[in-house]
Amino acid sequence: MFSKILIANRGEIACRIIRTARQLGIRTVAVYSDADRDALHVALADEAVHIGPAAASESYLSKERILGAAQRSGAEAIHPGYGFLSENADFAEAVEAAGLVFIGPSPASIRAMGLKDAAKALMERAGVPVVPGYHGDKQDAAFLVERAAEIGFPVLIKARAGGGGKGMRRVDRPEDFAAALEAARREAKSAFGDDAVLIEKYLTQPRHIEIQVFGDSHGNVVHLFERDCSLQRRHQKVIEEAPAPGMTDEMRSAMGEAAVRAARAIDYRGAGTVEFIADVSEGLSPDRFFFMEMNTRLQVEHPVTEAIAGVDLVEWQLRIAYGEPLPRTQAELGIEGWAFEARLYAEDPSRGFLPVTGTLSHLRFPEGDVRIDTGVREGDSITPHYDPLIAKLIVHAPTRQAALAKLTRALQDTKAAGTASNLDFLVRLSQQPDFVAGHPDTGLIDREAKTLTAASIPDDIALAIAAIPEAGGMARSSGSDPWQALGAWQLWGEVNRPVTLHHSGGHTNGRVIAKGQDRYSVQFDNRAVAVRMISRNDDSCRMEIDGRQLRAEFFQMPHGMTLFFDGHTYQFHRADPLDGAEEEAVGGDRLVAPMPGLIKIVRVQEGDVVAKGEALIVMEAMKMELTLTATRDGVVESLHVGEGDQTSESAVLLSLRPEDAQ
């Protein structure tokens, strides 16, 4: 076995690989950019090598710097993880040319599946069913819209290179095709250096089901069953499960055999995933699934396969790269139980899943039989340079119902503060009736978006709990008297303090009245909530309200407080009067950058008349394109950025004025 490997990646997957390597007695070398100097994967590795600036193009995507780090450290092999250079055939070739082992498929296999159009043609020849569409080389816009019309709307425009939802647009009407094509090409060029696309029929009720395959250098190929990855937003997976609900033995066999044929067609070695789209308008059927693409790497969602198959896929990768045969035959593989994985991201579901940056000031994961794959710790920052994944929560149980209940509880017991996250969204999604019933499809999140993504609005009990620490009734210093914390001694009446709680539903005015040692009455308009504090420490409390004993946790920050209560996360912020005055002064007519990024397109000039919702500026941040639109009708009064400019978070990009203003 290898004695030392270099991991050409960062974050969660780098930490994941280090864990298995350590169990096998293999020393690990991490690489890091300026932004990751103090990252978790750097701390966990046996040694680490600096490879450049924060920008991925100058660090994690630099073949030369990574190869140089491997040679300097004496590593024998390079594990690419997923993303970055993991599916770059030129990099795999350079690794082998340098006398090192690439822990993955051959460069030829990567190239065969690297371009989706060529891959589909290859699969057709191998007898694997493919989605109806256009997969040719001709890329003229007028020609492509004609092919789309022939296929029939809705269609899906897809970048032929790369993955992860980049360069992908659904188009429902012919008149929207040109703008969608332009955006898909631009995003694909930025992400993969290739703006060529293909056009596919968009199935209106599809499920995304993929098959994990593994091959060795001795001619053996097996599949490790399926994963259902239908719950997606922006074409990116959110919750995955294995096996797929409703899967029959007949369809599992058909999909598994098709995936193995696909792998054999390119003499595949190592871990790979063959992704299929299934038309479930009439239920799962072995004659209605189609090849989409093959990912020639380990997948983000690989832990659910590990859970049901009882294997360590990273260990398999290392052993196969070292030249060993597959650890098991197809007959020795089986499914045990059910597994789910949920991806916790730093993003704001109520704002279209906009990625966010910030510091993870408070981060707690559930204890017990829950697997947590993460690349961050409490106190780490989510930067604009890389994917905003915080962690993956993986659960396993004998049945789907038990596993899903376990997932919901694990999510409810997770605490993240300091930056926005999709935690509440994941809790709601895990309880969504269609999903619970085993009927996921790729359109479910969009259909239920209003319910799933609404910000959590606190009820009276949550407001009362938040009001007490906000009023000072739970002093942070140990042993301090809550009466004293609530204010100066009064000769007449009860000690009390007014509070204003600003939250996603607006603001609530109230008053906290100290009724005696550890007893409070929290009053809101004509209603009151009686609270008896049973115990408390710096960031949690146990209390009795209306005859019920409840537990809550909270995290205080200079700008507000995060309350974790009853499986929900509530955000309270403290208003700054100056901010309000400034906003009133400008009339709210500013378009600001939601995060640091690069200005890609400016669609307007000073003096242009714009309508509410009109696209004004396109910026690129955190590996995705963001289209910023007008918040109202008006005239562009001043423009502060140009194409190619870098901008900081909250920077004013342009200002509007009412059309009739002089």
Side-chain angles (χ1 to χ4, degrees):
M1 180 52 69
F2 304 113
S3 60
K4 181 187 285 190
I5 65 170
L6 179 136
I7 302 164
N9 217 296
R10 64 175 301 280
E12 170 267 323
I13 184 56
C15 297
R16 163 72 187 90
I17 296 165
I18 290 169
R19 186 169 66 247
T20 289
R22 181 174 293 155
Q23 292 171 351
L24 296 175
I26 302 171
R27 293 182 62 81
T28 54
V29 181
V31 293
Y32 63 92
S33 68
D34 288 347
D36 280 340
R37 193 175 299 274
D38 299 316
L40 181 58
H41 75 281
V42 175
L44 291 179
D46 294 296
E47 56 186 284
V49 180
H50 178 249
I51 54 170
S57 60
E58 300 179 63
S59 51
Y60 297 106
L61 288 172
S62 172
K63 306 178 188 69
E64 296 76 15
R65 295 189 184 204
I66 289 174
L67 282 172
Q71 291 166 334
R72 285 168 54 196
S73 64
E76 304 159 76
I78 295 179
H79 195 307
Y82 39 68
F84 294 131
L85 295 169
S86 62
E87 294 180 280
N88 188 300
D90 292 341
F91 177 63
E93 208 163 54
V95 170
E96 294 180 352
L100 304 172
V101 175
F102 181 75
I103 303 173
S106 68
S109 295
I110 296 174
R111 286 197 177 96
M113 290 296 179
L115 298 179
K116 296 182 181 68
D117 51 359
K120 289 178 186 295
L122 178 62
M123 291 299 99
E124 284 182 309
R125 293 195 295 272
V128 178
V130 302
V131 181
Y134 172 72
H135 312 129
D137 293 328
K138 192 171 181 180
Q139 294 290 306
D140 176 75
F143 175 80
L144 291 177
V145 75
E146 290 177 2
R147 300 290 77 74
E150 291 175 1
I151 295 165
F153 289 90
V155 299
L156 196 63
I157 302 172
K158 296 176 67 174
R160 71 174 183 178
K166 305 296 187 300
M168 191 179 297
R169 296 290 188 277
R170 172 182 170 172
V171 187
D172 294 311
R173 306 180 305 165
E175 54 266 38
D176 298 331
F177 188 87
L181 176 64
E182 178 188 356
R185 281 177 163 167
R186 190 169 54 247
E187 198 169 73
K189 182 69 173 179
S190 175
F192 316 121
D194 183 348
D195 65 358
V197 300
L198 49 86
I199 312 297
E200 290 182 349
K201 177 65 179 175
Y202 184 86
L203 303 180
T204 55
Q205 197 174 350
R207 277 175 61 181
H208 182 136
I209 301 175
E210 59 190 33
I211 303 289
Q212 175 73 60
V213 295
F214 239 102
D216 63 21
S217 54
H218 304 277
N220 303 306
V221 180
V222 298
H223 71 81
L224 291 93
F225 316 109
E226 79 278 358
R227 298 183 288 255
D228 193 303
C229 306
S230 299
L231 294 186
Q232 302 178 9
R233 87 292 182 255
R234 296 201 313 263
H235 305 293
Q236 293 188 341
K237 302 160 190 173
V238 180
I239 294 180
E240 304 97 347
E241 63 181 299
M247 179 63 71
T248 64
D249 291 340
E250 181 186 13
M251 186 164 183
R252 177 175 292 125
S253 176
M255 294 186 80
E257 289 172 4
V260 168
R261 285 200 304 274
R264 289 191 183 281
I266 57 173
D267 193 24
Y268 197 77
R269 178 191 70 220
T273 297
V274 183
E275 300 196 351
F276 295 101
I277 195 81
D279 180 359
V280 296
S281 56
E282 299 178 23
L284 286 174
S285 173
D287 62 351
R288 287 200 302 275
F289 70 89
F290 308 98
F291 172 87
M292 289 197 302
E293 62 188 22
M294 182 175 183
N295 292 306
T296 53
R297 54 171 167 80
L298 198 66
Q299 290 279 88
V300 177
E301 58 272 18
H302 75 273
V304 294
T305 294
E306 293 183 320
I308 66 164
V311 301
D312 182 331
L313 295 183
V314 174
E315 179 180 347
W316 279 36
Q317 285 186 297
L318 293 167
R319 292 193 180 281
I320 288 167
Y322 193 67
E324 297 180 16
L326 284 169
R328 297 189 198 177
T329 66
Q330 191 70 61
E332 294 171 326
L333 289 165
I335 296 174
E336 182 178 345
W338 215 284
F340 286 93
E341 172 185 286
R343 303 189 193 187
L344 178 62
Y345 282 100
E347 62 184 13
D348 188 346
S350 67
R351 299 174 64 198
F353 297 98
L354 182 71
V356 296
T357 59
T359 299
L360 293 165
S361 307
H362 183 81
L363 186 62
R364 299 284 189 276
F365 294 113
E367 298 178 354
D369 187 23
V370 179
R371 172 175 165 179
I372 306 296
D373 283 11
T374 184
V376 296
R377 301 151 295 190
E378 184 173 284
D380 286 351
S381 294
I382 302 297
T383 74
H385 306 293
Y386 315 115
D387 189 90
L389 179 69
I390 298 173
K392 303 183 311 193
L393 286 75
I394 304 100
V395 298
H396 182 231
T399 66
R400 186 177 191 271
Q401 182 181 14
L404 191 52
K406 193 173 181 180
L407 178 68
T408 299
R409 180 59 189 264
L411 291 166
Q412 290 173 333
D413 289 346
T414 298
K415 313 291 190 296
T419 183
S421 79
N422 66 338
L423 187 55
D424 271 9
F425 162 78
L426 291 173
V427 172
R428 293 173 187 161
L429 184 56
S430 72
Q431 299 172 314
Q432 201 281 330
D434 289 337
F435 180 48
V436 171
H439 303 303
D441 68 77
T442 59
L444 187 151
I445 290 176
D446 285 342
R447 288 196 307 273
E448 303 295 327
K450 185 175 181 180
T451 301
L452 293 172
T453 64
S456 295
I457 299 176
D459 60 14
D460 284 357
I461 293 179
L463 288 169
I465 295 170
I468 296 172
E470 188 66 15
M474 292 170 58
R476 305 282 299 190
S477 57
S478 177
S480 54
D481 186 342
W483 285 64
Q484 294 297 325
L486 274 175
W489 177 85
Q490 292 180 199
L491 182 59
W492 295 283
E494 297 165 313
V495 180
N496 66 85
R497 179 174 294 174
V499 293
T500 298
L501 297 170
H502 298 267
H503 48 80
S504 55
H507 71 275
T508 303
N509 295 318
R511 183 170 294 274
V512 179
I513 303 172
K515 307 294 287 187
Q517 186 68 30
D518 287 330
R519 292 178 182 273
Y520 307 90
S521 175
V522 185
Q523 298 183 350
F524 304 108
D525 296 329
N526 296 320
R527 62 195 190 279
V529 179
V531 180
R532 180 176 74 88
M533 201 63 58
I534 299 171
S535 63
R536 65 181 184 274
N537 57 33
D538 280 354
D539 58 7
S540 67
C541 61
R542 187 174 182 84
M543 72 214 77
E544 184 179 34
I545 300 177
D546 292 336
R548 298 168 57 209
Q549 291 195 12
L550 308 168
R551 186 186 304 276
E553 296 181 39
F554 58 92
F555 183 75
Q556 296 270 20
M557 295 165 285
H559 59 276
M561 175 178 63
T562 302
L563 173 68
F564 307 104
F565 173 64
D566 197 26
H568 297 283
T569 302
Y570 299 107
Q571 304 288 346
F572 298 93
H573 67 274
R574 300 184 181 100
D576 185 341
L578 294 179
D579 288 345
E582 182 183 1
E583 183 66 18
E584 184 178 354
V586 298
D589 291 334
R590 302 176 304 170
L591 188 70
V592 300
M595 64 182 64
L598 174 69
I599 302 299
K600 299 286 289 186
I601 297 176
V602 178
R603 299 190 181 277
V604 292
Q605 299 177 345
E606 291 183 0
D608 285 356
V609 177
V610 299
K612 181 179 180 180
E614 181 178 340
L616 305 181
I617 290 176
V618 177
M619 64 180 292
E620 182 183 273
M622 299 182 86
K623 299 172 63 178
M624 65 177 289
E625 265 195 7
L626 307 173
T627 299
L628 308 181
T629 60
T631 56
R632 52 163 295 165
D633 296 346
V635 176
V636 179
E637 183 171 46
S638 57
L639 187 62
H640 306 294
V641 292
E643 294 178 1
D645 288 351
Q646 290 283 346
T647 185
S648 59
E649 182 176 1
S650 300
V652 178
L653 308 179
L654 61 77
S655 298
L656 297 174
R657 71 169 189 270
E659 190 173 355
D660 55 358
Q662 300 300 319

